[in-house]
Amino acid sequence: MNDETVKILVAEADMSICEIIKLGAIDQGWAIDEARDGISAIKLLRRKAYQLIILSCELPVIDGGIVLQLTQEQVRCPVIFIGKSGAEEDRLAAFEAGGNDYLQKPFFPRELLARMRNLMRLYGTYYQKRDELKAGPVRIERHSRSAFVSDSRLELTSREYNLLLELCSNPGRAFSRDSLLNSAWGSSFEGGDRTVDTHIKSLRKKLSPFQDCIKTVWGYGYKFEE
């Protein structure tokens, strides 16, 4: 992962909301960590530095407001709270906990992305969408949805491109088959794990002689190693 890559923590129990945020972030060239409960969020915040945090007010175990209060010494970036309530007292509670913004669920994904960019701009964070992504021998140009290996253009299907983009966006990270299925086909797709395996096999052939960059994580999924 490039040092200038924007790193974002999304702490939200609802996987469908996480997926919406993740797809938008990946399109911007940002890296995402996810936490499904308050304890997981606290552990990540104490181990890693982020450029922006999205905290759900309704996190299991420990809610978002308390998470932020317990990690105030580690957090040095803007925080957006998302919550089901639109009541004034709940919005005020989010700001009093240390939040910089509040967005009520359900929200428009493009509005959330705009708020994220604005906050990072105010904090001086590099947030612009990077058109070109490089990982090992692979180079991806987002504007044209083109991918290259050692400057040779790859002839990829739309699904193969989506899989390669997801894997190369976070080199070294292991992605589950379900996660890759959602990223490349969407959460409404009803296909099984075999669909991912078949497309990975085809993608590896097209990456030759660098097919070994895509590693199998047995019993789980795949990862890209530079």
Side-chain angles (χ1 to χ4, degrees):
M1 184 181 296
N2 193 303
D3 287 341
E4 71 177 8
T5 300
V6 170
K7 304 174 188 69
I8 296 170
L9 173 64
V10 179
E12 166 60 59
D14 189 328
M15 291 185 65
S16 63
I17 292 178
C18 285
E19 189 66 23
I20 290 171
I21 299 172
K22 184 172 74 171
L23 290 175
I26 288 174
D27 188 57
Q28 296 293 318
W30 302 336
I32 292 284
D33 281 344
E34 299 176 42
R36 294 283 183 261
D37 58 64
I39 291 177
S40 299
I42 289 171
K43 289 179 179 178
L44 284 169
L45 288 169
R46 287 177 173 170
R47 287 193 296 111
K48 297 185 178 183
Y50 296 98
Q51 279 70 56
L52 187 133
I53 300 165
I54 297 176
L55 276 178
S56 171
C57 293
E58 298 88 19
L59 277 176
V61 188
I62 301 175
D63 69 47
I66 296 176
V67 166
L68 190 53
Q69 290 173 6
L70 293 175
T71 56
Q72 56 185 326
E73 293 184 2
Q74 289 81 31
V75 174
R76 295 290 184 270
C77 67
V79 177
I80 299 177
F81 276 100
I82 54 176
K84 296 177 181 178
S85 174
E88 180 183 14
E89 58 268 25
D90 294 315
R91 291 175 178 270
L92 289 174
F95 287 114
E96 289 171 359
N100 301 92
D101 200 355
Y102 181 97
L103 196 57
Q104 184 179 0
K105 305 173 189 176
F107 50 80
F108 294 106
R110 290 174 62 186
E111 179 184 358
L112 176 61
L113 281 175
R115 290 172 184 249
M116 293 165 73
R117 287 193 294 265
N118 285 341
L119 278 174
M120 285 191 281
R121 183 188 296 116
L122 289 171
Y123 269 67
T125 302
Y126 172 83
Y127 74 90
Q128 290 88 350
K129 177 177 177 178
R130 291 177 296 129
D131 180 69
E132 187 173 279
L133 172 68
K134 292 182 179 179
V138 176
R139 177 170 59 87
I140 296 174
E141 295 177 357
R142 289 187 176 87
H143 77 280
S144 62
R145 288 179 64 83
S146 301
F148 303 82
V149 169
S150 298
D151 293 326
S152 297
R153 185 184 179 114
L154 296 170
E155 296 299 326
L156 303 178
T157 67
S158 177
R159 305 304 187 191
E160 289 168 350
Y161 171 85
N162 290 344
L163 284 172
L164 186 61
L165 178 61
E166 178 80 342
L167 290 167
C168 290
S169 294
N170 286 279
R173 173 182 170 183
F175 290 88
S176 69
R177 287 179 172 84
D178 284 343
S179 173
L180 292 171
L181 195 66
N182 287 338
S183 297
W185 281 265
S187 57
S188 61
F189 183 72
E190 296 182 355
D193 292 351
R194 184 61 181 169
T195 303
V196 175
D197 294 339
T198 300
H199 281 74
I200 289 290
K201 182 178 180 180
S202 174
L203 185 56
R204 280 173 167 159
K205 287 182 179 178
K206 294 180 180 181
L207 287 173
S208 181
F210 302 102
Q211 64 269 22
D212 289 342
C213 285
I214 298 180
K215 303 289 187 182
T216 299
V217 182
W218 296 107
Y220 185 72
Y222 300 93
K223 64 180 178 179
F224 187 95
E225 290 192 351
E226 298 179 279

